[in-house]
Amino acid sequence: MPNIRQIVAKDVSLNPSETGTTAVVNNARRIAGVYGDIAQMQQQDGRSFNQSIQAAGDVFVQYAEHREISQGSATFAETQATLSQLWNEHAKNADPNDAETAVRFQKDVLEPALEQWRGAFVTARGQDYAENRVSRLREHMFEKTRSDMATLAGEAAQVNMRTMSNQLSVMVRADPTSLDMALETLNHGVGAMFDSSPNLTGPQASAARTKISQAASEAIVKAAVFGAIEKNPTEGLKLAQDPKYSKYITGMEVGQFEREARAQERMALAEQRYAEMQRKEQKQKLSEDTVKAMVDNLYSPNSTLTIQNVRDAKDQLSLQHFEHILGMVERRSKPDPRATVSAETSSALLERMWLPEGDDRKVTTLDPIREEMIAGRLSKADFNFLNEQFDRASTPDGSRLSTQKKQLMDAVKPLFDKPSSLVPITDPESRLKLMQFMKQVDGEIMEARKNGKDPQAVIDKYSGPNMMQHLSPWQASLQDIMKKQAERMRAPSPATTAPTTPVVTTTPTAPSVPKPTGFPEDAVRGDDGKYRVIRNGVPYIVMPKGN
Amino acid sequence: MALSSKTFDYAGGAVNDLFAASAFESKATGYGLEAYNYDLAASMADKNADFTRTSTALKMTQLERQKYSVLGGQQADVASSGFQSSGSALDILRDSAQQGALQEAVAHQQGLIAEEGYRTQAQSFRNMSAASKLAQEQARKSQKNAWINTAVKAAATVASIAL
C-alpha cells in the first residue's frame, strides 16, 4: 500500500518580540531622567546667574549710591549757597510789606532748583538722600524766607516807628502839652502798621510790636519831659514824676531829669549872665567905636567935634568914655607937655602895652592912653603913635612883632639911660631918645612891610652884633648928659606942665635935688649922690669948697 | 522707580526664570521623548497583538488542518480498503503545498517580528544617546556659566570691599 507523505507545518504560532518594547519603555524612563537632569542644570544655572546678577547689582548699586551721594553733597552745598545768595538778592530789593515775595521766590526759584538737583539722582538711596535734603532745604528756606521777610518787615516797621517817634518827640519837646495826643497817635500808628503787615504775624510780631511801641512811647515821654524842663524846670520835673507816665520813665531817669532841671536852671542863669555880658560888650563896643570916631575927629585938621556933640552922643557912650572924650575935648585947646614928659609916659605905656597876655599891668584898652592924654602927660603925636601901636598889637602878626619890639626896647633902654659906664649919671632925655628910636624902628618896619620885605630883618638889624653901632647916633655924650643935667637942676620946677600924678616910669631920672653950696657951677650930681665936673672930656668928682 | 538692589533682584529673577523656562522646555522635551518612546512601545504592542491574532488564526487553521488530515487518513484507509473515493490524491498534494507555504510564512513573519524588535531597540538607544549628548552639552554650558558666575561674584566681593 502506498504511503503518501504529507507536509505538515509543525509550529505555526508567531511569538511577539519584547525586545524593542522593553528597550523603548526602559529608555523612555531614562530619557525623561536625562532631560530632568538637563532641566535641573538649567535651573541651577538660572539660580547662579540670579545670584551673580544680584551680587554684582548690589555692588554696582552701592557704588552708584555712594557716587551720587558724594557728588550730591557737594552740589547740595553749592545749591544751598546759590539759593541763599539768590534769596538775599531777592529780598534786598523786595518790598518788606509784600507777602508774595517769599512765595514767589519759593515757586519761581527754589522749587525749580530743588527739582533740578533732585533729578540728578537715579539710585533709590540717592533719591532718598536727595528727597531728605530737598525736604530739609525746602523747610530751611521756607523758614528763612519767612523769617527774613518778617525781619525785613520788622525793620521796616522799626524804621517807620522811629520816624514817627522822632517826629512826635520833636513835636512834644516843642510843645510838652501835646504829649497825650502824641501817645495816642503813636498807639494808633503802631496798631495800623502791624495789623496791616502780612509778614508780621505770630508771637514774635506781637512781641516786636510791644517792644517798639514801648520804646517809642518812652522816647516821646522823655522828649516831652526834656522840653518841659527846658521851658520850666519845676513843671518839667512834675511831668517826669506824674504817675500817668511812670511806666515810661525809670527811677534813675527821674534822677537824671532832676539833674537836668538843675542844670537847666544853672544854664538859664548862665545864659542870662551871658546875655547881660553880651549886652555890656555890645554897649562897650558901641561906646568904644563912638569914642574912637570922636577922637579921630578931634585930632583931625578940620575937627568939628564939640562938647555938645559929645553930650548928644552920651547914650552911646559909657560913663568912662563920656568923661574921657569930654576931657580930651577940653584938653585939645591946651599945649602939649614937654617932650621928655610925653616920652617917659609913652615909653611906660608902650612897655605895658607889649607885656605878655595875662599880665595885670598890660594895657588892654585905649583908656589908659586917653587918661594920660587928658592928664596932659602925652603929646598929640605920642598919643597918635600909641593908638597906632595899640591897633597893630591887636593883630596876631602885630602881637608877635610887639613882643620882639619890647625885647629890643628892654635891651636898648639901659644903653640910652647910661651911655657911659664911667659916670653913673642917667641921661635926662633918654626916654625921649628911646621913643624916637622906637618910632624909627617902627617906621622901618612899616616901610619893610610896604615893600614886601620881612619886618623881622629890621628887629634883627638893631638887636644883632652891630647894635651899638646903630645906637651910637642916639646916645648922648657924657658932656651933653652933664650939661643937660646941670640945666635941669637949674631949671624951675616944671609943675605947670609936668604931670600932676606921676605915671609909672621904669627908669626914673635922678630927682632934682638943690645943689649944695660950695660946688663948682657946672658940677652935676650923679646917681650915686656924688658931684662931678668934666674937664677936657674927663669926669672928675668934686667936693664943696672948705672940705 | 530708582536703581536699587531690587532692580538687580528682579533682573536676576528674570534670568532665573529664563533658565527655568529653558528647564521646563527641556523637561517637556524629555517628556515628549518619553511619550514618543511609549508610543513606539504601544506601536510595538499593537504589532504584537496583530502578530498574536495572526498566530491565533494560523493555529486555528493548523487545527483545522489536523482535523482534515485525520479525515484524509481515514479516507485513505477507506480507499485502500477498496472503497471508491474520487479526487483524494489531488487533495493530499494541495494540502502539502499549503503546509509548506505556511511554514515559510510563519518563519518569515517571526523574523520580521524579531527585526522590528531590534530596530525599535536601536532607535530607542539612539534616542538615549541623543539625550545623553544633550545632557553633556548642557553640563558643559553649566560649567562655563559656573565660571562666569564665579568671576562675577568674586569681582562683586572685591568691589564690595573696595567701595
Side-chain angles (χ1 to χ4, degrees):
Chain A
M1 169 148 177
N3 188 14
I4 302 171
R5 293 184 57 192
Q6 291 185 325
I7 297 171
V8 179
K10 294 179 181 175
D11 185 7
V12 291
S13 64
L14 289 172
N15 298 317
S17 174
E18 293 299 325
T19 305
T21 305
T22 304
V24 167
V25 170
N26 290 337
N27 287 345
R29 295 193 186 110
R30 288 177 189 160
I31 285 172
V34 169
Y35 275 89
D37 292 343
I38 291 172
Q40 282 185 353
M41 283 189 278
Q42 288 174 332
Q43 284 178 335
Q44 180 61 40
D45 284 352
R47 284 193 292 273
S48 293
F49 273 114
N50 184 9
Q51 291 173 354
S52 296
I53 289 169
Q54 286 182 0
D58 284 347
V59 172
F60 176 74
V61 167
Q62 284 178 8
Y63 165 75
E65 287 172 348
H66 175 73
R67 182 169 172 273
E68 272 188 349
I69 292 172
S70 177
Q71 289 182 344
S73 297
T75 56
F76 179 76
E78 186 181 343
T79 303
Q80 186 173 8
T82 303
L83 285 171
S84 292
Q85 187 178 355
L86 286 172
W87 165 245
N88 289 336
E89 289 292 325
H90 199 79
K92 190 168 66 178
N93 302 317
D95 178 2
N97 297 314
D98 184 359
E100 293 297 314
T101 299
V103 175
R104 277 198 302 275
F105 177 80
Q106 289 159 9
K107 181 182 172 188
D108 299 340
V109 180
L110 177 63
E111 287 303 331
L114 292 179
E115 281 304 317
Q116 185 182 4
W117 182 77
R118 183 168 53 189
F121 290 85
V122 296
T123 66
R125 273 192 63 202
Q127 288 184 346
D128 286 347
Y129 166 80
E131 191 59 44
N132 178 274
R133 299 313 299 162
V134 162
S135 174
R136 185 72 189 86
L137 182 57
R138 183 187 288 118
E139 186 181 343
H140 165 73
M141 290 303 294
F142 179 75
E143 289 295 328
K144 177 178 173 55
T145 53
R146 195 175 63 176
S147 171
D148 285 355
M149 288 310 296
T151 303
L152 287 174
E155 287 175 356
Q158 278 190 343
V159 170
N160 292 338
M161 286 308 304
R162 177 162 296 183
T163 302
M164 183 191 288
S165 171
N166 289 342
Q167 289 170 342
L168 293 173
S169 294
V170 169
M171 183 185 81
V172 297
R173 181 154 187 167
D175 179 16
T177 59
S178 62
L179 175 58
D180 290 337
M181 183 64 193
L183 289 175
E184 187 183 334
T185 302
L186 175 75
N187 287 332
H188 277 100
V190 170
M193 200 174 294
F194 278 83
D195 291 344
S196 62
S197 174
N199 291 322
L200 287 172
T201 55
Q204 287 182 337
S206 179
R209 172 182 180 160
T210 306
K211 186 177 174 184
I212 291 173
S213 177
Q214 176 70 16
S217 299
E218 288 178 7
I220 291 170
V221 170
K222 286 167 193 171
V225 171
F226 269 114
I229 287 175
E230 283 170 355
K231 293 180 186 307
N232 186 335
T234 305
E235 290 302 316
L237 268 181
K238 281 184 185 173
L239 185 64
Q241 292 160 350
D242 189 337
K244 188 176 168 186
Y245 307 114
S246 63
K247 63 180 176 181
Y248 302 120
I249 302 173
T250 65
M252 188 179 293
E253 286 169 341
V254 171
Q256 287 175 348
F257 286 133
E258 288 173 354
R259 287 192 291 278
E260 175 66 18
R262 288 196 293 272
Q264 277 295 332
E265 287 174 344
R266 286 196 298 273
M267 195 161 71
L269 189 60
E271 282 180 351
Q272 189 179 353
R273 287 173 181 164
Y274 178 73
E276 183 65 27
M277 188 180 73
Q278 286 279 89
R279 280 195 298 277
K280 283 183 180 174
E281 281 183 359
Q282 286 175 357
K283 189 174 179 183
Q284 183 69 18
K285 186 173 185 306
L286 176 64
S287 177
E288 182 63 39
D289 292 344
T290 306
V291 76
K292 202 169 183 178
M294 286 182 172
V295 168
D296 290 343
N297 188 333
L298 185 63
Y299 293 115
S300 67
N302 303 316
S303 174
T304 56
L305 188 70
T306 62
I307 295 290
Q308 188 57 44
N309 293 143
V310 175
R311 285 180 180 149
D312 290 345
K314 188 178 179 182
D315 292 343
Q316 300 173 20
L317 294 167
S318 65
L319 180 60
Q320 185 185 28
H321 284 163
F322 180 68
E323 289 173 351
H324 282 177
I325 194 66
L326 276 181
M328 292 178 75
V329 170
E330 289 172 0
R331 177 71 189 151
R332 177 173 54 178
S333 57
K334 295 179 182 175
D336 280 345
R338 282 191 310 179
T340 53
V341 171
S342 180
E344 283 184 10
T345 307
S346 297
S347 64
L349 287 169
L350 268 183
E351 278 188 292
R352 291 175 58 200
M353 191 187 296
W354 290 341
L355 283 170
E357 292 294 334
D359 193 317
D360 292 340
R361 295 173 297 155
K362 182 176 176 66
V363 172
T364 54
T365 66
L366 289 169
D367 293 337
I369 300 171
R370 290 173 189 146
E371 285 167 0
E372 294 295 342
M373 183 67 189
I374 294 165
R377 288 189 287 269
L378 280 176
S379 67
K380 294 184 184 67
D382 285 345
F383 177 78
N384 287 333
F385 177 73
L386 288 171
N387 272 279
E388 288 171 5
Q389 293 303 309
F390 183 85
D391 288 343
R392 286 178 200 158
S394 302
T395 65
D397 185 48
S399 175
R400 182 179 62 79
L401 274 175
S402 296
T403 304
Q404 294 181 345
K405 283 192 284 189
K406 180 170 188 311
Q407 290 171 352
L408 176 63
M409 193 167 80
D410 289 345
V412 301
K413 191 167 65 176
L415 301 175
F416 279 98
D417 285 346
K418 292 185 174 63
S420 171
S421 59
L422 299 174
V423 183
I425 297 174
T426 302
D427 182 0
E429 295 184 346
S430 66
R431 292 292 181 272
L432 182 59
K433 290 172 183 173
L434 177 64
M435 284 306 297
Q436 289 170 344
F437 170 75
M438 293 307 297
K439 285 177 183 175
Q440 174 162 326
V441 170
D442 191 64
E444 289 182 22
I445 288 173
M446 294 301 291
E447 190 66 17
R449 274 193 172 146
K450 187 178 174 186
N451 296 328
K453 294 179 181 175
D454 185 6
Q456 183 66 40
V458 179
I459 303 291
D460 294 343
K461 182 179 81 172
Y462 287 104
S463 39
N466 299 324
M467 183 172 70
M468 295 304 294
Q469 181 187 339
H470 288 296
L471 289 181
S472 59
W474 300 94
Q475 289 178 309
S477 66
L478 187 58
Q479 286 177 316
D480 287 344
I481 292 173
M482 295 191 69
K483 184 180 174 185
K484 286 175 185 170
Q485 188 74 325
E487 288 173 355
R488 189 165 179 266
M489 290 174 69
R490 286 196 295 274
S493 174
T496 53
T497 56
T500 52
T501 306
V503 296
V504 177
T505 54
T506 53
T507 54
T509 55
S512 182
V513 179
K515 187 166 59 182
T517 56
F519 285 101
E521 188 177 352
D522 57 347
V524 174
R525 188 175 184 270
D527 295 341
D528 53 1
K530 296 177 181 176
Y531 286 82
R532 292 174 175 81
V533 294
I534 302 295
R535 296 291 182 263
N536 298 324
V538 178
Y540 295 96
I541 296 175
V542 295
M543 302 296 287
K545 288 180 181 178
N547 290 342
Chain B
M1 185 64 186
L3 180 63
S4 68
S5 297
K6 288 201 173 204
T7 306
F8 292 91
D9 288 349
Y10 294 144
V15 172
N16 193 14
D17 290 343
L18 280 176
F19 279 85
S22 182
F24 285 124
E25 176 66 25
S26 296
K27 279 198 171 188
T29 303
Y31 286 130
L33 285 173
E34 186 179 5
Y36 172 69
N37 279 320
Y38 285 129
D39 286 342
L40 279 178
S43 176
M44 283 294 294
D46 284 341
K47 285 179 179 176
N48 283 338
D50 289 342
F51 294 152
T52 303
R53 186 175 62 201
T54 302
S55 180
T56 304
L58 286 173
K59 283 179 179 178
M60 290 296 292
T61 301
Q62 192 64 8
L63 289 174
E64 189 69 20
R65 167 65 184 79
Q66 284 175 353
K67 184 175 74 175
Y68 283 122
S69 181
V70 170
L71 289 175
Q74 287 170 343
Q75 284 175 350
D77 289 342
V78 167
S80 57
S81 310
F83 290 107
Q84 193 70 31
S85 176
S86 59
S88 296
L90 290 175
D91 288 340
I92 292 168
L93 286 173
R94 188 174 57 244
D95 182 61
S96 291
Q98 286 177 341
Q99 281 294 305
L102 180 63
Q103 189 72 42
E104 285 178 3
V106 169
H108 182 248
Q109 189 65 33
Q110 187 64 50
L112 288 176
I113 290 170
E115 182 184 344
E116 182 66 20
Y118 285 118
R119 286 189 190 286
T120 303
Q121 186 183 37
Q123 180 62 41
S124 178
F125 285 139
R126 275 194 286 277
N127 289 343
M128 189 66 198
S129 172
S132 295
K133 286 177 182 173
L134 192 63
Q136 180 193 27
E137 187 182 346
Q138 179 59 46
R140 292 195 187 286
K141 282 183 182 176
S142 294
Q143 182 192 25
K144 286 181 184 175
N145 290 338
W147 282 116
I148 292 170
N149 286 320
T150 301
V152 170
K153 285 176 182 173
T157 303
V158 173
S160 68
I161 295 169
L163 289 177

